[in-house]
Amino acid sequence: MISAAKLGFSRRNLPIIATMTVFVVLYMIGGMTFRGFLTNRVFFNLLTDNAVLGITAVGMTFVIFTGGIDLSVASVVSTTAMIVAVMTQAGVPNLFVIICAILFGTLLGLVMGFIIHYFDAPAFIVTLSGQFFARGFGYILSLDSVPIQYDFYQKASSFGIRIGNGKLTLPAIILLVVIALGIFISKKTKLGRNIYALGGNEQSALLMGLPVGKTKIIVYTMSGFCASLAGFVYTFYTLSGYGLAAIGLEMDAIASAVIGGTLMTGGYGTIFGTLIGTLIQGVIKTIISFHGELSAYWIKIFVGGMLLSFILLQRVFVAGSGKRD
Amino acid sequence: MSDNLLEAIGVSKSFPGVKALSNVNLQLGRGEIHGLMGENGAGKSTLIKAITGVYPRDNGQILLDGVEIHPTSPLDAEALGISTVFQEVNLLNNLSVAENLAIGRQPTKKTGTLDWKKMNEDARRILQKFEIDIDVTELLGNYSIAIQQMVAIARALELDSKLLILDEPTSSLNLDEVEKLFKQMRRLKEEGHSIIFVTHFLDQVFEITDKITVLRNGEYVGLFNTADMTKMDLVSKLMGKEIDELHEFEKLSKEQKHKEHQEVLLETEKLGKNGYMAPIDIDIAKGDIVGLGGLLGSGRTEIAKMLFGLVHTDNGGLKIKGIHSKIRSPKQALMNQLALCPEDRKEESIIPDLSVKENIILALQVKQGWFKPLSAKKKEEIAQKYIDLLNIKTPSSEQAIKNLSGGNQQKVIVARWLATNPNVLIVDEPTRGIDVGAKTEIQKLLLKLSGEGMGVLFISSEIEEVVRCSNKVYILQDRKVVNELHDDQINEQQIMHAIAAKGDS
Ligand SMILES: Nc1ncnc2c1ncn2[C@@H]1O[C@H](COP(=O)(O)OP(=O)(O)OP(=O)(O)O)[C@@H](O)[C@H]1O
Ligand SMILES: [Mg+2]
């Protein structure tokens, strides 16, 4: 049944193909409507402007692969930025600041992973408390916006490699590296495959002798790490820390994953899809800002519609995959 | 080194409200194939899970090579040299066949990254041993239960452990595939490995095992030499009583057959779906038990799914009691007094966390409509009726179904569809994983119901069972109905012959 096998193969790739198509179509719409849209500059800005979201979304996607969820990421982004700001202001050496900032999210993820695994606690609740904790910790550090006045951050924020009229900025580079690492882990390492296995069926994975607990803990740690890294990158834009920053980012990250073809129930999806999911949200934002008259709320409406149609598409995809001998 | 590879001494295990094992022993020699037998709920799977560290044991010792072991997970057990195929096919539907075979011990390149190419090649080579030629890069979930079961077995075999445990590996396999499995088991035995083999098929036990341990109600009955036993001995050991029910059964099935023309309940007219099933013309009359015969993949389950509205047909139609009807969904099928007891109980049937009672009344409730809930009393009545009728082993009707033994879960599913009291009942492998006694009970029940006017479409990979119950058998090949056998023509040889016949009709 060669032909059927081929059919099955393309069906498996259907979600990602659909996502790519949507991205290209949206990009073309932008290109045809607005002058100066189809330029390197706009494209690289797309990467730059969505780096924080994209980096967070990679960690989130791994968590969703296992069938879990991480609601803490947005507050980790904001609090990491706050840690950087407060520590820098206090005159702590920069290298130490960076280490602390990255450790914050990573350790939080580790702890949440432990709790989720050892107490068999629902990820939704555990990461929700993680969210409150991180947010609260940020407010304790400072209620106001704290500016970052340190050479490194000024430089980092203006750094970039010129390509045509575009600029490959540091956030964009970090985003691409994280995506590449994510793809590598998901496809080329045992860890990555165990993550998919866990999402496919936890009980089976256990009975097949896979390290279920370890994998779970690692995944939340990875997500915490990504969120912290994103928080660090966030400071390049804002050059400040602010307790109310990045509110709702966790939902955007989930949207990136789902639009990119990741199934919320776990086991299916790609990191590359998450990049495209992020960029689709970015294109919508760009189009709306080019348009100039539509308010920013339209972004949410479009992204919402997009999300809904992708979920429906996935339903069709799942329902349509019949068994055969 | 001790004489026995594995020894269990006085092992006990309780669950809330259930003493699953009490003081059970097991002695397994080297290079021995050992049958572990018992009725549904006797404790076979629990013993296996105690040996492999899925559950901690409450009491007793487990010795491997004379040394006490305490594995805490299947991974642990694997490290000790015990590999296991658990009762339900426990693989990952979201990964490819090749990956399911390899995961946990995938081949890597020099750089430490996964070597997908080698993994796929290995997979093809491994499946070749079982003469399975499929696309190993396809998702496992897209294949039938039988293939999945073979993949699970192949995975365990590939570990090359000194002890291989197979918990009902043959429940979905046909004779051919069972032979392929036995060939591999014999090879392992010659190489000095030991195997624990659980099955409800008596023929298979006598064909392949050297010794048999029998459990009953969680208690140890004894250790026997296979060669010293007859089938009747074994059955009476299993059930704890002498039986002449088989005799009674012969009588019952004979009466059923040969009956005059009856009203046709369900009739298809060139019903089919492109690339799925060639147009079929079948009919099921009042009192009929219609069997479907055919190899795996010949289209048996496909017919069931088309009739029940699980797949949408694109040509032909069907008549219910002579009236053209459209069935586009299971709900419509239910409303038209059809019922389907599906093949894959784990994926398609049970709702693990709901109670036995809720699982039984589920379909009936759907049929009634959710706005007319059954009263608590009525529910309990129905549940209790089927628990007694099918001898479902559960501490109460409130027990979560996932805590029942495999065979007892199957009985609950059969009960669910019987409870809807359909005109036409489609059963797809209804006796899978069910013990000898209960199997007879279910067959008897089907015969009784058909005697009362129900039409039954009976799908089973056990030809014996089809022969016993059916008064008409459609033979399938390559998703086509190629032949039809009636009453006296129905016997094992005829069916085998028809299945194997070169399709030129
Ligand atoms: N997790 C559990 N919680 C509660 N009871 C359980 C659990 N697992 C098994 N049992 C009970 O223990 C008893 C033995 O079950 P087990 O699965 O070992 O039977 P089995 O011999 O394998 O039967 P089958 O042939 O049907 O597979 C049953 O009565 C079952 O209901
Ligand atoms: Mg069992």
Side-chain angles (χ1 to χ4, degrees):
Chain A
M1 290 236 274
I2 302 292
S3 60
K6 281 204 179 114
L7 198 80
F9 181 73
S10 65
R11 170 176 276 151
R12 211 190 311 171
N13 292 325
L14 201 66
I16 186 74
I17 292 169
T19 309
M20 292 282 284
T21 313
V22 169
F23 175 67
V24 171
V25 167
L26 280 176
Y27 209 80
M28 288 302 143
I29 291 176
M32 284 186 295
T33 323
F34 309 108
R35 280 187 42 202
F37 198 95
L38 289 179
T39 55
N40 279 357
R41 195 164 56 88
V42 171
F43 183 75
F44 284 116
N45 280 351
L46 205 56
L47 290 177
T48 305
D49 294 344
N50 295 287
V52 170
L53 172 59
I55 295 166
T56 317
V58 169
M60 179 69 86
T61 306
F62 276 114
V63 174
I64 298 179
F65 282 169
T66 68
I69 188 104
D70 186 352
L71 298 178
S72 71
V73 291
S75 58
V76 169
V77 167
S78 123
T79 302
T80 302
M82 181 62 94
I83 291 173
V84 171
V86 171
M87 285 179 86
T88 307
Q89 201 179 40
V92 180
N94 190 39
L95 188 64
F96 191 64
V97 171
I98 297 175
I99 292 172
C100 284
I102 300 292
L103 272 184
F104 170 70
T106 313
L107 286 179
L108 183 67
L110 180 72
V111 170
M112 291 190 303
F114 257 103
I115 296 175
I116 290 167
H117 171 54
Y118 282 103
F119 298 99
D120 202 14
F124 192 97
I125 304 298
V126 175
T127 59
L128 185 64
S129 17
Q131 178 190 84
F132 292 155
F133 168 79
R135 218 27 108 178
F137 185 63
Y139 292 143
I140 291 176
L141 290 179
S142 169
L143 284 172
D144 307 312
S145 172
V146 181
I148 302 173
Q149 280 140 346
Y150 189 76
D151 214 26
F152 172 83
Y153 296 90
Q154 322 286 349
K155 281 206 182 108
S157 98
S158 57
F159 172 84
I161 304 166
R162 291 227 148 264
I163 299 176
N165 68 350
K167 192 164 91 170
L168 191 60
T169 59
L170 199 51
I173 293 171
I174 296 178
L175 170 66
L176 292 178
V177 169
V178 169
I179 293 279
L181 268 177
I183 292 176
F184 176 78
I185 291 173
S186 70
K187 294 217 160 118
K188 295 281 185 183
T189 67
K190 292 194 177 185
L191 170 67
R193 305 319 295 172
N194 289 344
I195 289 173
Y196 280 99
L198 190 53
N201 186 332
E202 189 173 335
Q203 185 64 19
S204 294
L206 192 72
L207 291 179
M208 287 169 92
L210 301 179
V212 166
K214 199 175 96 188
T215 308
K216 235 189 222 182
I217 294 170
I218 291 178
V219 141
Y220 286 93
T221 312
M222 269 163 53
S223 177
F225 169 80
C226 286
S228 259
L229 183 63
F232 178 61
V233 169
Y234 192 69
T235 58
F236 302 169
Y237 303 93
T238 57
L239 293 174
S240 68
Y242 181 47
L244 281 173
I247 289 218
L249 183 74
E250 72 275 13
M251 294 303 161
D252 296 338
I254 295 170
S256 291
V258 173
I259 293 176
T262 297
L263 239 54
M264 283 305 285
T265 43
Y268 298 90
T270 58
I271 297 294
F272 181 70
T274 297
L275 172 66
I276 306 296
T278 305
L279 293 184
I280 286 180
Q281 295 185 64
V283 172
I284 295 175
K285 276 181 223 163
T286 313
I287 290 178
I288 284 169
S289 66
F290 260 76
H291 189 276
E293 278 168 32
L294 287 174
S295 86
Y297 296 117
W298 282 97
I299 297 172
K300 291 278 173 215
I301 291 174
F302 278 118
V303 174
M306 192 72 54
L307 206 53
L308 193 64
S309 27
F310 273 91
I311 293 274
L312 292 178
L313 183 79
Q314 284 176 4
R315 283 279 96 200
V316 175
F317 153 71
V318 172
S321 60
K323 271 193 205 263
R324 52 202 187 72
D325 293 294
Chain B
M1 235 160 56
S2 87
D3 294 345
N4 288 322
L5 174 66
L6 183 89
E7 240 177 296
I9 307 165
V11 172
S12 300
K13 174 76 198 170
S14 294
F15 298 107
V18 188
K19 184 123 187 144
L21 293 176
S22 57
N23 249 320
V24 167
N25 303 322
L26 181 77
Q27 283 181 2
L28 174 69
R30 289 168 205 286
E32 172 181 308
I33 301 184
H34 194 110
L36 180 58
M37 302 285 294
E39 298 188 282
N40 294 134
K44 305 178 296 291
S45 300
T46 307
L47 179 59
I48 288 168
K49 288 179 175 167
I51 293 173
T52 52
V54 178
Y55 304 134
R57 53 188 185 263
D58 297 345
N59 275 310
Q61 285 182 304
I62 293 173
L63 310 177
L64 187 71
D65 281 324
V67 182
E68 179 152 19
I69 55 166
H70 292 275
T72 55
S73 70
L75 184 63
D76 238 13
E78 263 179 30
L80 291 167
I82 306 175
S83 65
T84 318
V85 175
F86 292 93
Q87 183 168 6
E88 303 297 332
V89 183
N90 279 291
L91 293 178
L92 300 157
N93 287 343
N94 61 325
L95 303 183
S96 74
V97 172
E99 209 174 356
N100 268 286
L101 285 167
I103 195 165
R105 44 175 193 274
Q106 300 101 318
T108 50
K109 294 185 189 157
K110 278 197 211 84
T111 49
T113 57
L114 298 181
D115 189 343
W116 286 88
K117 199 162 148 254
K118 179 156 192 310
M119 191 162 86
N120 291 335
E121 278 162 13
D122 287 352
R124 274 179 217 115
R125 184 178 48 71
I126 293 167
L127 292 180
Q128 211 61 61
K129 288 190 207 161
F130 294 92
E131 296 159 46
I132 298 175
D133 188 19
I134 55 173
D135 178 5
V136 296
T137 61
E138 177 67 55
L139 297 188
L140 182 80
N142 289 340
Y143 289 103
S144 67
I145 304 275
I147 299 259
Q148 293 182 17
Q149 208 162 35
M150 289 302 258
V151 171
I153 294 167
R155 176 182 164 87
L157 250 50
E158 211 48 27
L159 276 173
D160 205 33
S161 329
K162 44 189 172 186
L163 171 56
L164 175 66
I165 305 180
L166 302 171
D167 193 351
E168 296 195 34
T170 55
S171 60
S172 306
L173 304 185
N174 66 14
L175 293 176
D176 258 16
E177 291 155 329
V178 171
E179 264 326 303
K180 289 178 202 159
L181 170 63
F182 283 2
K183 199 169 111 194
Q184 297 299 322
M185 285 169 67
R186 290 198 187 97
R187 176 180 63 79
L188 285 174
K189 178 180 153 169
E190 261 157 40
E191 291 168 8
H193 302 257
S194 303
I195 301 173
I196 297 177
F197 177 61
V198 179
T199 185
H200 290 293
F201 296 104
L202 301 181
D203 290 340
Q204 294 179 5
V205 184
F206 282 96
E207 182 179 343
I208 193 86
T209 65
D210 304 305
K211 296 215 168 135
I212 299 174
T213 291
V214 176
L215 303 181
R216 193 191 313 134
N217 278 331
E219 311 221 356
Y220 175 69
V221 175
L223 170 67
F224 309 94
N225 271 321
T226 312
D228 303 341
M229 294 244 273
T230 65
K231 264 192 203 174
M232 271 304 147
D233 288 343
L234 179 57
V235 171
S236 59
K237 293 267 170 1
L238 292 172
M239 301 178 74
K241 58 182 180 223
E242 307 293 326
I243 52 151
D244 44 16
E245 282 194 358
L246 280 169
H247 185 68
E248 188 189 319
F249 188 78
E250 287 291 307
K251 248 177 25 206
L252 187 69
S253 56
K254 281 281 159 336
E255 277 171 28
Q256 268 309 308
K257 297 181 178 180
H258 307 297
K259 57 174 146 327
E260 69 281 25
H261 207 67
Q262 290 273 18
E263 179 193 7
V264 174
L265 296 174
L266 180 81
E267 190 181 352
T268 66
E269 295 175 324
K270 302 248 167 301
L271 188 72
K273 179 178 165 73
N274 256 331
Y276 186 77
M277 187 78 212
I280 50 164
D281 283 302
I282 63 173
D283 57 86
I284 302 168
K286 231 177 164 159
D288 265 351
I289 298 189
V290 176
L292 293 183
L295 297 174
L296 265 175
S298 59
R300 293 173 307 193
T301 299
E302 286 72 9
I303 291 188
K305 289 194 168 168
M306 287 195 319
L307 293 179
F308 201 61
L310 280 166
V311 296
H312 292 176
T313 53
D314 52 19
N315 46 52
L318 92 184
K319 282 201 243 177
I320 288 174
K321 290 197 170 175
I323 301 163
H324 281 280
S325 310
K326 276 218 154 39
I327 293 181
R328 308 289 289 176
S329 72
K331 176 120 196 256
Q332 278 175 2
L334 262 176
M335 293 307 163
N336 279 298
Q337 310 298 330
L338 296 185
L340 166 69
C341 178
E343 168 186 43
D344 185 351
R345 80 165 159 266
K346 193 176 163 208
E347 294 280 330
E348 292 172 5
S349 299
I350 70 164
I351 305 193
D353 292 308
L354 285 188
S355 68
V356 170
K357 177 162 65 182
E358 297 291 341
N359 268 290
I360 290 179
I361 62 114
L362 191 70
L364 182 60
Q365 184 68 75
V366 171
K367 193 171 166 188
Q368 286 237 328
W370 291 104
F371 299 110
K372 277 182 268 163
L374 294 159
S375 72
K377 189 158 149 275
K378 184 92 186 141
K379 281 189 201 170
E380 183 59 39
E381 229 173 74
I382 294 170
Q384 212 51 55
K385 175 175 149 201
Y386 285 100
I387 289 174
D388 294 342
L389 195 65
L390 298 178
N391 194 11
I392 297 172
K393 204 163 168 271
T394 173
S396 83
S397 64
E398 300 293 346
Q399 177 80 314
I401 190 172
K402 66 174 178 198
N403 292 337
L404 261 53
S405 80
N408 284 305
Q409 291 182 9
Q410 180 65 29
K411 292 185 202 168
V412 171
I413 299 308
V414 173
R416 174 192 294 170
W417 297 104
L418 290 177
T420 62
N421 196 19
N423 286 337
V424 177
L425 175 65
I426 307 168
V427 285
D428 196 354
E429 305 285 355
T431 61
R432 187 156 75 89
I434 285 188
D435 66 43
V436 209
K439 197 179 258 181
T440 318
E441 284 306 316
I442 288 187
Q443 293 168 2
K444 266 178 21 190
L445 195 67
L446 289 178
L447 286 168
K448 176 166 158 280
L449 290 169
S450 75
E452 291 165 11
M454 189 186 281
V456 178
L457 184 65
F458 189 64
I459 306 175
S460 168
S461 36
E462 261 180 89
I463 295 182
E464 206 183 306
E465 198 173 58
V466 175
V467 169
R468 251 195 237 164
C469 300
S470 325
N471 57 321
K472 177 158 77 178
V473 176
Y474 291 105
I475 305 293
L476 301 177
Q477 274 178 7
D478 285 336
R479 314 204 162 207
K480 260 198 296 251
V481 175
V482 293
N483 208 340
E484 188 177 329
L485 303 175
H486 290 268
D487 305 299
D488 292 339
Q489 303 169 309
I490 300 176
N491 58 49
E492 274 184 54
Q493 285 84 348
Q494 282 273 9
I495 294 182
M496 302 270 257
H497 193 246
I499 287 175
K502 274 274 160 286
D504 48 10
S505 47

